Amino acid sequence: MGGTEGSISEPGSPSNSRESETSRQSLSECKVWRNPLNLFRGAEYRRYTWVTGKEPLTYYDMNLSAQDHQTFFTCDTDFLRPSDTVMQKAWRERNPPARIKAAYQALELNNDCATAYVLLAEEEATTIVDAERLFKQALKAGETIYRRSQQCQHQSPQHEAQLRRDTNVLVYIKRRLAMCARKLGRIREAVKIMRDLMKEFPPLTMLNIHENLLESLLELQAYADVQAVLAKYDDISLPKSAAICYTAALLKTRTVSDKFSPETASRRGLSTAEINAVEAIHRAVEFNPHVPKYLLEMKSLILPPEHILKRGDSEAIAYAFFHLQHWKRIEGALNLLQCTWEGTFRMIPYPLEKGHLFYPYPSCTETADRELLPPFHHVSVYPKKELPFFIHFTAGLCSSTAMIALLTHQFPEIMGVFAKAVSMISRTCAEYL
């Protein structure tokens, strides 16, 4: 599901091991992940389209979601239940009205078709309240099907596959219900649902439910609980994310930001707590250098996509969209970030070749982000492709020489007079000095 910071080298020569490790890391760094806090299509993305006339999701992003839905919500035994057969076609359908129509057809065949309610909650509901109502109906149907699958799971491989599918459906429904509760202000209820999910289905950590939990705990200002979650998931053996790195930085910044002053720090130096906070910010910025401009409102936010690229602009948008309010709530946090974040780049002058705490920054993020983000958004690029001064100087010198040679060839007499005048002026200036 993604790369880790600590990789085990494969046997062989050192050069081959390094090449294979770099190749694996490159593939994992450019892997597209599902956004843990993705919005609701009907209640949020579509409302944005109604107001602005702009499409917030790209075809590539929606196609990835269609593949996810087929993976999560279908299995090889769908042909045994007519409603599941209809839903299998619905998840493959590109046209939203056709998908919604198919969901209603599935409900006519089976009123307890959980995935049909899921599709209607995601795409037809125009408010979060309507989406929650449909997800509660999906939960009732999904729990019934899940218990039935548990009883038959050992009968055949097909039944095991069906249980995996029904587990995915149930986890998805509960997670979306938690997100509905969070959006409707019932934050403690959302936290309880997420904690129960993580206890009941610990193997599904790849779904990154802990990132939903982190955001809800920050809204409650339960910073001790946030630290406890980070202690479990901010581990060298687990994939990192902007949410993990920047939340860790926010907690350390919180202890010093209210009294931090650049002038005072320059006179007396940084205290131990301030050094820890600055180092945490540098670590976060190295992981994803696009985030600070959104947190500092140097760049405008858009609705986050349904998929993100780790360390890319899409992940930065998804993080800042939900977490900007938490940085603003802590006095002085954004001031400390503004004063220190650019110092990260002095530690990693060549980020594509060598990192400080993480692997070198992947060069594939720009291309993937352009596929994930809508065309009206100006994609953030790191590092900026700036040519050295020597290259600019050499190009200018060569161009000037070529121009003089061309003019001399076309107008030899005029250029001769011009050359003599320049020579006399130069000699006069030299004698004067």
Side-chain angles (χ1 to χ4, degrees), residues 48-69:
Y48 175 84
T49 303
W50 290 343
V51 172
T52 65
K54 297 178 180 178
E55 288 291 342
L57 298 176
T58 64
Y59 173 77
Y60 176 67
D61 192 14
M62 291 189 289
N63 189 47
L64 289 174
S65 295
Q67 294 175 28
D68 291 340
H69 294 152

Side-chain angles (χ1 to χ4, degrees), residues 248-318:
L250 180 61
L251 291 190
K252 292 187 177 179
T253 298
R254 174 176 166 269
T255 61
V256 298
S257 60
D258 58 334
K259 300 176 182 177
F260 177 79
S261 169
E263 294 78 14
T264 306
S266 63
R267 286 199 306 270
R268 62 166 170 79
L270 296 173
S271 65
T272 303
E274 288 171 339
I275 290 174
N276 291 336
V278 172
E279 287 179 349
I281 288 174
H282 287 174
R283 172 180 180 256
V285 174
E286 181 184 352
F287 182 82
N288 193 316
H290 308 283
V291 171
K293 286 189 176 182
Y294 293 108
L295 292 180
L296 298 171
E297 298 181 89
M298 299 165 63
K299 206 170 177 205
S300 58
L301 276 171
I302 60 171
L303 294 187
E306 292 184 336
H307 291 81
I308 59 173
L309 186 71
K310 292 288 184 74
R311 307 184 75 178
D313 192 29
S314 51
E315 184 191 34
I317 291 169

Side-chain angles (χ1 to χ4, degrees), residues 111-286:
N111 196 42
D112 289 331
C113 182
T115 52
Y117 287 117
V118 168
L119 191 148
L120 294 176
E122 289 286 352
E123 303 203 17
E124 189 186 43
T126 55
T127 65
I128 300 299
V129 173
D130 290 341
E132 184 181 43
R133 175 179 55 79
L134 287 165
F135 272 121
K136 285 181 177 178
Q137 291 179 271
L139 178 63
K140 183 178 178 181
E143 286 179 330
T144 302
I145 297 170
Y146 176 71
R147 286 193 294 268
R148 196 180 304 150
S149 296
Q150 275 186 312
Q151 296 170 0
C152 306
Q153 62 176 309
H154 300 299
Q155 293 182 6
S156 68
Q158 288 77 16
H159 284 90
E160 291 180 5
Q162 192 166 326
L163 176 64
R164 284 195 298 272
R165 190 274 306 276
D166 294 336
T167 302
N168 289 337
V169 172
L170 185 62
V171 171
Y172 185 92
I173 293 169
K174 288 186 175 182
R175 181 182 191 165
R176 292 306 254 176
L177 278 172
M179 295 174 72
C180 287
R182 164 68 183 91
K183 292 173 187 291
L184 294 172
R186 304 196 309 272
I187 305 170
R188 295 188 185 280
E189 178 186 338
V191 168
K192 183 180 184 305
I193 295 173
M194 293 172 197
R195 288 191 186 280
D196 291 344
L197 266 180
M198 293 165 70
K199 289 178 183 177
E200 189 176 357
F201 302 100
L204 297 178
T205 53
M206 78 286 291
L207 297 177
N208 295 327
I209 299 174
H210 59 275
E211 295 196 11
N212 300 79
L213 179 60
L214 280 175
E215 197 280 326
S216 296
L217 291 173
L218 285 170
E219 181 63 20
L220 289 174
Q221 301 183 47
Y223 297 114
D225 292 336
V226 173
Q227 186 60 60
V229 175
L230 285 178
K232 182 176 181 181
Y233 290 97
D234 193 5
D235 185 84
I236 193 171
S237 63
L238 297 175
K240 292 292 176 287
S241 67
I244 292 289
C245 295
Y246 278 89
T247 301
L250 180 61
L251 291 190
K252 292 187 177 179
T253 298
R254 174 176 166 269
T255 61
V256 298
S257 60
D258 58 334
K259 300 176 182 177
F260 177 79
S261 169
E263 294 78 14
T264 306
S266 63
R267 286 199 306 270
R268 62 166 170 79
L270 296 173
S271 65
T272 303
E274 288 171 339
I275 290 174
N276 291 336
V278 172
E279 287 179 349
I281 288 174
H282 287 174
R283 172 180 180 256
V285 174
E286 181 184 352

